[in-house]
Structures are given as C-alpha cells and as structure tokens.
Amino acid sequence: MLAGFDHVAVSTADLDRFVDFYCDVFGAEVEGGLTDGGLEMKVLRIGPTSEINVFRIDGNDEASRQTPTFGRGRLDHFALRAVSIEQFDETRSDLIERGCTDGFVTDFGQVLSVFFRDPEGLELEVCVANPDAVPGRINPPGTPAARYQPS
C-alpha cells in the first residue's frame, strides 16, 4: 500500500550549514528551494523516494530546543537507512571524524544502528540490515554489536 516515507520536515537556524552537512555526509542532493519573505526552504533528496524538507524562518527558535530521547514530543527522531554495511561503516567513520558520534553501534537484532547529532543538535540514527542477524531476535537499546567490539 505504501512505498515508505516521502519526507521529513526539519527547522534549522542555519540553512547552509544543515544542507552542507547532509550533502557531505550522506550524499544528499538539493532538489529545489524557495525564499519567501522571512522563510527559506530547501528540499534535500536522501534516497530514491525520500526527502528532508528543511526550513529556516525568521524569528523561529524551535531549532535551538533539544531535549533527551523520548522527551522531544510526538516525533522524537528519525533514522536514515544505509544501502549496505560498507556504506554504513563509511558513514559511521565520517560521523566519528566530525565529532557527531562516539561510534557505538547498537545491535537491535535485524538492524544495526549508530546514533549521531547533526550540527543543529538534532539526534538521529543511521541503520543498516544486520548481516549477523538471528531470525526473530530483537535486542533492547544499548545492545553492543559484536562486529564493532574490540577483539
């Protein structure tokens, strides 16, 4: 019935910084934008069917508010999906180098996940299908992924 999510809308205080980060780290592509008075908006393509619609609005300070996980209201965070474990590893390394994450990888069972904070302070995650998954197993948050533990 559905093909997945179409877009997520995000507020930012610095449109250029936001766009540069997502283009550099995730290969997002700017598909368009608009400026209308005190509103600026860009559409970032982040996959074959998904977008981030990012807004900067004069006088709007919502982008400066950040609270802990599950204390952010009805929409807490969103996750991006890597196309392969190799792309996940490359993205994780880039996020570590930028100081956006400590690199901890959670084994949720069917997916691996690394949480990060973007330049706005928004907490997000990158997920990938877990090549070591055990069918039917679901692990709680904080379960370390064995393949990312020191030998």
Side-chain angles (χ1 to χ4, degrees), residues 4 7 10 26 29 81 90 93 105 108 110 121 138:
H7 71 274
V10 178
F26 298 104
E29 297 177 7
R81 183 76 171 219
E90 184 178 320
S93 293
V105 177
F108 281 111
Q110 303 309 301
I138 298 174

Side-chain angles (χ1 to χ4, degrees), residues 56-136:
R56 194 212 49 80
I57 303 167
D58 288 347
N60 183 319
D61 69 347
E62 286 299 316
S64 67
R65 299 177 191 191
Q66 185 66 32
T67 57
T69 302
F70 303 122
R72 299 180 183 125
R74 296 180 76 165
L75 178 60
D76 188 76
H77 67 276
F78 64 90
L80 303 170
R81 183 76 171 219
V83 296
S84 66
I85 192 72
E86 294 80 15
Q87 187 62 57
F88 177 84
D89 290 342
E90 184 178 320
T91 301
R92 177 178 171 262
S93 293
D94 195 10
L95 291 168
I96 292 169
E97 287 176 22
R98 292 169 181 267
C100 297
T101 182
D102 62 6
F104 181 83
V105 177
T106 299
D107 177 347
F108 281 111
Q110 303 309 301
V111 299
L112 300 175
S113 165
V114 62
F115 279 87
F116 70 95
R117 285 198 187 271
D118 76 2
E120 295 293 317
L122 183 62
E123 188 174 64
L124 304 141
E125 64 185 305
V126 178
C127 298
V128 69
N130 184 355
D132 307 316
V134 175

Side-chain angles (χ1 to χ4, degrees), residues 2-8 45-51 75 77-79:
L2 296 174
F5 286 97
D6 183 77
H7 71 274
V8 175
R45 170 76 46 207
I46 58 168
T49 63
S50 301
E51 302 171 347
L75 178 60
H77 67 276
F78 64 90

